[in-house]
PDB file of all heavy atoms in Angstrom:
ATOM      1  N   LYS A  96     105.964 105.780  99.039  1.00  0.00           N
ATOM      2  CA  LYS A  96     106.282 106.330 100.359  1.00  0.00           C
ATOM      3  C   LYS A  96     105.777 105.378 101.412  1.00  0.00           C
ATOM      4  O   LYS A  96     104.625 105.004 101.348  1.00  0.00           O
ATOM      5  CB  LYS A  96     105.587 107.686 100.661  1.00  0.00           C
ATOM      6  CG  LYS A  96     105.965 108.411 101.957  1.00  0.00           C
ATOM      7  CD  LYS A  96     107.271 109.117 101.901  1.00  0.00           C
ATOM      8  CE  LYS A  96     107.835 109.431 103.284  1.00  0.00           C
ATOM      9  NZ  LYS A  96     108.606 108.335 103.818  1.00  0.00           N
ATOM     10  N   GLY A  97     106.610 104.992 102.376  1.00  0.00           N
ATOM     11  CA  GLY A  97     106.139 104.165 103.434  1.00  0.00           C
ATOM     12  C   GLY A  97     107.345 103.649 104.246  1.00  0.00           C
ATOM     13  O   GLY A  97     108.444 103.646 103.719  1.00  0.00           O
ATOM     14  N   GLY A  98     107.107 103.130 105.327  1.00  0.00           N
ATOM     15  CA  GLY A  98     108.181 102.683 106.235  1.00  0.00           C
ATOM     16  C   GLY A  98     108.827 101.355 105.949  1.00  0.00           C
ATOM     17  O   GLY A  98     108.490 100.635 105.012  1.00  0.00           O
ATOM     18  N   GLN A 117      98.850 101.838 103.172  1.00  0.00           N
ATOM     19  CA  GLN A 117      99.628 103.024 103.042  1.00  0.00           C
ATOM     20  C   GLN A 117      99.167 103.968 101.840  1.00  0.00           C
ATOM     21  O   GLN A 117      99.056 105.198 101.864  1.00  0.00           O
ATOM     22  CB  GLN A 117     101.119 102.723 102.833  1.00  0.00           C
ATOM     23  CG  GLN A 117     102.032 103.965 103.116  1.00  0.00           C
ATOM     24  CD  GLN A 117     102.367 104.028 104.665  1.00  0.00           C
ATOM     25  OE1 GLN A 117     102.531 103.106 105.348  1.00  0.00           O
ATOM     26  NE2 GLN A 117     102.286 105.266 105.172  1.00  0.00           N
ATOM     27  N   LYS A 120      96.041 105.782 103.168  1.00  0.00           N
ATOM     28  CA  LYS A 120      96.469 106.787 104.182  1.00  0.00           C
ATOM     29  C   LYS A 120      97.219 107.934 103.629  1.00  0.00           C
ATOM     30  O   LYS A 120      96.814 109.048 104.014  1.00  0.00           O
ATOM     31  CB  LYS A 120      97.450 105.913 105.179  1.00  0.00           C
ATOM     32  CG  LYS A 120      97.900 106.729 106.368  1.00  0.00           C
ATOM     33  CD  LYS A 120      99.085 106.147 107.031  1.00  0.00           C
ATOM     34  CE  LYS A 120      98.972 104.665 107.389  1.00  0.00           C
ATOM     35  NZ  LYS A 120      99.994 104.192 108.397  1.00  0.00           N
ATOM     36  N   LYS A 132     105.766  99.824 101.255  1.00  0.00           N
ATOM     37  CA  LYS A 132     106.289  99.328 102.572  1.00  0.00           C
ATOM     38  C   LYS A 132     107.345  98.406 102.306  1.00  0.00           C
ATOM     39  O   LYS A 132     107.454  97.802 101.253  1.00  0.00           O
ATOM     40  CB  LYS A 132     105.102  98.650 103.365  1.00  0.00           C
ATOM     41  CG  LYS A 132     105.359  98.574 104.807  1.00  0.00           C
ATOM     42  CD  LYS A 132     104.920  99.842 105.422  1.00  0.00           C
ATOM     43  CE  LYS A 132     105.185  99.915 106.908  1.00  0.00           C
ATOM     44  NZ  LYS A 132     104.471 101.082 107.516  1.00  0.00           N
ATOM     45  N   ALA A 170     110.955 105.000 105.270  1.00  0.00           N
ATOM     46  CA  ALA A 170     111.065 105.721 106.633  1.00  0.00           C
ATOM     47  C   ALA A 170     111.084 104.544 107.626  1.00  0.00           C
ATOM     48  O   ALA A 170     111.313 103.374 107.250  1.00  0.00           O
ATOM     49  CB  ALA A 170     109.792 106.597 106.736  1.00  0.00           C
ATOM     50  N   GLY A 171     110.727 104.945 108.921  1.00  0.00           N
ATOM     51  CA  GLY A 171     110.792 103.856 109.915  1.00  0.00           C
ATOM     52  C   GLY A 171     109.403 103.218 110.105  1.00  0.00           C
ATOM     53  O   GLY A 171     108.442 103.621 109.582  1.00  0.00           O
ATOM     54  N   ASP A 172     109.469 102.192 110.885  1.00  0.00           N
ATOM     55  CA  ASP A 172     108.260 101.441 111.412  1.00  0.00           C
ATOM     56  C   ASP A 172     108.777 100.565 112.545  1.00  0.00           C
ATOM     57  O   ASP A 172     109.848 100.865 113.080  1.00  0.00           O
ATOM     58  CB  ASP A 172     107.604 100.557 110.236  1.00  0.00           C
ATOM     59  CG  ASP A 172     106.259 100.093 110.575  1.00  0.00           C
ATOM     60  OD1 ASP A 172     105.275 100.914 110.477  1.00  0.00           O
ATOM     61  OD2 ASP A 172     106.057  98.992 110.995  1.00  0.00           O
ATOM     62  N   ARG A 211     108.824 114.935 113.706  1.00  0.00           N
ATOM     63  CA  ARG A 211     108.608 113.725 113.067  1.00  0.00           C
ATOM     64  C   ARG A 211     108.570 112.555 114.058  1.00  0.00           C
ATOM     65  O   ARG A 211     107.732 111.687 113.910  1.00  0.00           O
ATOM     66  CB  ARG A 211     109.610 113.365 111.936  1.00  0.00           C
ATOM     67  CG  ARG A 211     109.469 111.986 111.363  1.00  0.00           C
ATOM     68  CD  ARG A 211     108.224 111.853 110.670  1.00  0.00           C
ATOM     69  NE  ARG A 211     107.852 110.445 110.181  1.00  0.00           N
ATOM     70  CZ  ARG A 211     107.212 109.559 110.862  1.00  0.00           C
ATOM     71  NH1 ARG A 211     106.855 109.889 112.161  1.00  0.00           N
ATOM     72  NH2 ARG A 211     106.965 108.378 110.366  1.00  0.00           N
ATOM     73  N   ASN A 352      99.091  99.983 112.936  1.00  0.00           N
ATOM     74  CA  ASN A 352      98.423  99.627 111.697  1.00  0.00           C
ATOM     75  C   ASN A 352      97.551  98.322 111.851  1.00  0.00           C
ATOM     76  O   ASN A 352      98.127  97.271 112.240  1.00  0.00           O
ATOM     77  CB  ASN A 352      99.416  99.469 110.568  1.00  0.00           C
ATOM     78  CG  ASN A 352      99.922 100.754 110.021  1.00  0.00           C
ATOM     79  OD1 ASN A 352      99.072 101.610 109.679  1.00  0.00           O
ATOM     80  ND2 ASN A 352     101.161 100.889 110.022  1.00  0.00           N
ATOM     81  N   VAL A 381     103.200 109.748 108.661  1.00  0.00           N
ATOM     82  CA  VAL A 381     103.575 109.853 107.273  1.00  0.00           C
ATOM     83  C   VAL A 381     103.420 111.254 106.799  1.00  0.00           C
ATOM     84  O   VAL A 381     104.067 111.818 105.923  1.00  0.00           O
ATOM     85  CB  VAL A 381     102.960 108.774 106.302  1.00  0.00           C
ATOM     86  CG1 VAL A 381     101.522 109.151 106.163  1.00  0.00           C
ATOM     87  CG2 VAL A 381     103.670 108.671 105.030  1.00  0.00           C
ATOM     88  N   SER A 384     106.358 113.066 107.634  1.00  0.00           N
ATOM     89  CA  SER A 384     107.410 112.593 106.599  1.00  0.00           C
ATOM     90  C   SER A 384     107.253 113.440 105.351  1.00  0.00           C
ATOM     91  O   SER A 384     108.213 113.863 104.717  1.00  0.00           O
ATOM     92  CB  SER A 384     107.191 111.083 106.316  1.00  0.00           C
ATOM     93  OG  SER A 384     107.750 110.266 107.267  1.00  0.00           O
TER      94      SER A 384
HETATM   95  O1  2IT B   2     102.810 103.189 108.766  1.00  0.00           O
HETATM   96  C1  2IT B   2     103.259 104.318 108.561  1.00  0.00           C
HETATM   97  O2  2IT B   2     102.572 105.213 108.084  1.00  0.00           O
HETATM   98  C2  2IT B   2     104.687 104.557 108.771  1.00  0.00           C
HETATM   99  N1  2IT B   2     105.336 103.618 109.323  1.00  0.00           N
HETATM  100  C3  2IT B   2     105.332 105.809 108.483  1.00  0.00           C
HETATM  101  C4  2IT B   2     105.719 105.856 107.071  1.00  0.00           C
HETATM  102  C5  2IT B   2     106.438 107.108 106.598  1.00  0.00           C
HETATM  103  O3  2IT B   2     106.911 107.139 105.459  1.00  0.00           O
HETATM  104  O4  2IT B   2     106.726 108.066 107.430  1.00  0.00           O
END
Side-chain angles (χ1 to χ4, degrees):
K96 182 84 196 86
Q117 201 83 45
K120 182 196 306 193
K132 202 83 186 190
D172 194 79
R211 175 62 188 91
N352 283 308
V381 75
S384 278

